[in-house]
């Protein structure tokens, strides 16, 4: 066996070991998450169960955010109440809880809670939460208030000065500006020359018909 062949075989073996280990972790996490979701969360008390309760709430909330956003909100709200100083609670307040609140469809309640959260998060998380609040105003059809929140997010970021390379506010800045440029206005023309399974058309040519967009991204 040549050196190259041996190296390739070793790589395949290592990948298989990692795959099997990952599968075992997923199975165990699924068993725990399902058992936890079915349990009485009010019975999880005491320091001995604290880490397990925090992990269970976080896992349950993440898993349910698309299929059952109300359950997701319930889990994250309890996590924030029980573990207010944890990293999981900080991320829930600034990111996950606003997403779940919007997903419930109860927009007035979501807006009320998100305005409360905006007062609680640190300054670096306020622009992202303002953008989420603006999104809710958009869904409610109040474009003026939505624009105010998007502009407010941009103003907050500008006031913060130069940002570090991986500061989350850079992403917020890009998306808030995009929202500010487009909200309440006709959709910009999309004139792609590359189409699959049909003749290329402009977006305006499809006006009056149902258009389903299938998009993806790499992270």
């Amino acid at each position: 066996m040549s050196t190259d062949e041996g190296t390739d075989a070793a790589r395949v073996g290592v990948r298989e070991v990692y795959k099997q280990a990952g599968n075992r972790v997923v199975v165990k996490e699924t068993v725990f998450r399902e058992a936890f979701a079915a349990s009485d969360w009010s019975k999880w008390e005491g320091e001995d169960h604290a880490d397990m309760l925090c992990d269970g709430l976080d896992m349950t909330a993440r898993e349910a955010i698309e299929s059952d956003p109300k359950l997701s909100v319930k889990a994250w709200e309890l996590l924030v109440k029980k573990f207010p100083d944890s990293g999981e609670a900080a991320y829930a307040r600034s990111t996950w809880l606003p997403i779940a609140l919007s997903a419930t469809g109860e927009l007035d309640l979501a807006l009320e809670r998100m305005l409360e959260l905006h007062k609680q998060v640190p300054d670096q998380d306020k622009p992202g939460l303002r953008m989420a609040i603006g999104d809710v105003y958009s869904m409610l059809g109040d474009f003026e208030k939505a624009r105010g929140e998007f502009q407010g997010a941009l103003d907050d970021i500008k006031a913060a000065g130069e940002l570090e390379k991986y500061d989350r506010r850079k992403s917020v800045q890009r998306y808030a500006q995009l929202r500010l440029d487009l909200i309440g206005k006709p959709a910009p023309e999309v004139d792609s020359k590359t189409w699959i399974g049909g003749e290329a058309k402009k977006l305006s040519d499809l006006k009056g018909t149902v258009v389903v967009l299938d998009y993806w991204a790499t992270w």
Side-chain angles (χ1 to χ4, degrees):
M1 178 183 294
S2 70
T3 302
D4 290 342
E5 291 174 340
T7 300
D8 290 343
R11 288 173 178 164
V12 171
V14 169
R15 284 198 295 267
E16 184 60 29
V17 170
Y18 276 117
K19 180 180 178 181
Q20 292 177 5
N23 288 340
R24 286 195 292 271
V25 169
V26 170
V27 169
K28 290 182 181 297
E29 285 184 347
T30 301
V31 171
F32 168 71
R33 187 181 67 248
E34 291 177 349
F36 178 85
S39 70
D40 183 352
W41 297 350
S42 66
K43 302 296 185 182
W44 290 74
E45 298 290 348
E47 290 297 323
D48 292 343
H49 296 148
D51 289 343
M52 192 176 295
L53 175 60
C54 185
D55 289 344
L57 291 171
D58 187 53
M59 291 169 62
T60 298
R62 289 173 184 264
E63 178 67 19
I65 195 166
E66 293 187 6
S67 59
D68 190 351
K70 290 186 178 181
L71 175 62
S72 184
V73 169
K74 177 184 176 182
W76 265 312
E77 289 285 20
L78 184 57
L79 189 154
V80 167
K81 179 181 178 181
K82 292 284 189 179
F83 309 98
D85 299 325
S86 67
E88 290 86 352
Y91 206 53
R93 280 189 290 264
S94 65
T95 304
W96 289 115
L97 190 47
I99 292 173
L101 286 164
S102 299
T104 64
E106 298 177 347
L107 298 181
D108 290 325
L109 293 176
L111 181 60
E112 180 180 355
R113 181 62 175 125
M114 288 162 70
L115 289 170
E116 292 175 354
L117 291 170
H118 181 261
K119 300 175 183 178
Q120 301 171 11
V121 299
D123 288 346
Q124 65 181 17
D125 292 331
K126 289 186 183 297
L129 200 44
R130 291 197 73 169
M131 185 170 71
I133 291 169
D135 287 341
V136 176
Y137 277 128
S138 297
M139 287 184 276
L140 288 168
D142 194 334
F143 297 142
E144 182 177 354
K145 287 186 177 179
R147 279 190 287 267
E149 292 299 330
F150 299 147
Q151 185 61 61
L154 293 171
D155 292 342
D156 289 347
I157 295 170
K158 184 178 180 180
E162 186 174 355
L163 303 178
E164 298 291 334
K165 182 176 181 180
Y166 295 109
D167 195 307
R168 292 171 59 195
R169 285 172 289 189
K170 285 191 172 182
S171 177
V172 174
Q173 186 176 38
R174 182 168 64 253
Y175 289 119
Q177 186 62 60
L178 184 63
R179 284 163 165 77
L180 194 60
D181 291 341
L182 297 178
I183 186 171
K185 300 176 183 177
E189 186 65 274
V190 177
D191 189 10
S192 175
K193 305 303 180 185
T194 304
W195 278 54
I196 299 175
E199 181 183 352
K201 295 182 176 66
K202 295 184 295 184
L203 182 62
S204 56
D205 293 338
L206 302 173
K207 187 175 181 179
T209 64
V210 176
V211 177
V212 179
L213 299 179
D214 182 9
Y215 59 92
W216 58 274
T218 56
W219 305 97

